[in-house]
Amino acid sequence: MKKSILLIAIALLMSFDYATAQKQVVGAKNFEHEFTPLGNTPVGISKLRFRSFNGDGTGAIRVGLWVGGTSVETVTAQPGTSGDPLDADSPELLTTNKTFAFEICPGYEMHFDGTDRLSPYVGAQIVFGTTSDSEEIEIFSRTSFSDDEEQGVWTTTSTDGTSSIGFSLLAGFDYYIHDNIYLGAEMYFGYKGTKIKDGQMEASNLDAYRLYYGIPEDDEVAFDPFINGRSSMWGPMAQGTIRVGVLIN
């Protein structure tokens, strides 16, 4: 229902004949963001973009940007319920998951005459991106081989992520619904390759780690990286977003 209302509102806006509506002008700059009306979060913003038009308004340098992350703490043990052996004074234990994502897309557009309010264009862009994921787990257990009663909290941390690079040809349009305000859409044909980073692990207390997993005190502990792979995709890619932008003259 919300999606239908949003699409109807957009259609009504595009049907109005604003006498002041104009397309990009010489040297105009603009900011825009992308909405996902057909997605699970219709008001979610997927990317921010900046464009700077050339001297006659027929070309534009563009830069798209996405950056964000999450941090989630989960209580995995209540106070007094963890430890080896069980200890009435054991603390609350947490597992913390963090993510980070960054993508930048520099490119160029060539605009055509279109109509008074419609500005179609073609262009190209390069895509660079990276992501990271980490999981930190708190453990309460013995921390000393020489003292059976010495206990404490220590952590294991696992990390991985991806890095990607791509190139795409694109076609789209800007439709000006009012003076310096427009809606738009794009579609792409391109390639994107992604390298999955090797998984890493470390422990904050190696003696506690040995005791917890039954490893002899004199044995070396080495956390070898977990080797991951890569992926790639190419072909046409429709963009399920609506671009909304404002010119800054």
Side-chain angles (χ1 to χ4, degrees), residues 34-180:
E34 300 171 356
F35 289 98
T36 55
L38 303 180
N40 294 326
T41 54
V43 295
I45 296 176
S46 63
K47 189 178 295 180
L48 300 175
R49 183 182 297 159
F50 170 79
R51 294 191 296 182
S52 177
F53 287 89
N54 62 11
D56 57 9
T58 60
I61 296 173
R62 54 185 268 166
V63 179
L65 178 67
W66 163 255
V67 60
T70 62
S71 179
V72 179
E73 289 186 346
T74 304
V75 177
T76 54
Q78 298 295 323
T81 62
S82 62
D84 185 17
L86 290 178
D87 191 308
D89 296 325
S90 61
E92 175 185 274
L93 299 179
L94 301 174
T95 293
T96 304
N97 294 91
K98 295 181 180 181
T99 67
F100 173 78
F102 172 83
E103 185 176 85
I104 187 168
C105 310
Y108 187 78
E109 301 172 0
M110 293 183 295
H111 285 249
F112 302 100
D113 288 341
T115 65
D116 289 342
R117 288 189 287 170
L118 181 67
S119 180
Y121 62 86
V122 296
Q125 68 178 6
I126 302 173
V127 180
F128 302 97
T130 183
T131 67
S132 64
D133 300 270
S134 69
E135 182 178 65
E136 181 183 83
I137 301 174
E138 293 183 340
I139 301 171
F140 180 77
S141 67
R142 287 179 56 197
T143 57
S144 173
F145 279 93
S146 59
D147 186 350
D148 292 344
E149 296 184 358
E150 184 177 323
Q151 295 180 312
V153 176
W154 55 282
T155 62
T156 61
T157 303
S158 304
T159 59
D160 59 18
T162 65
S163 59
S164 59
I165 185 171
F167 173 83
S168 57
L169 303 176
L170 56 93
F173 67 88
D174 302 330
Y175 187 86
Y176 287 79
I177 59 175
H178 206 299
D179 191 13
N180 295 341

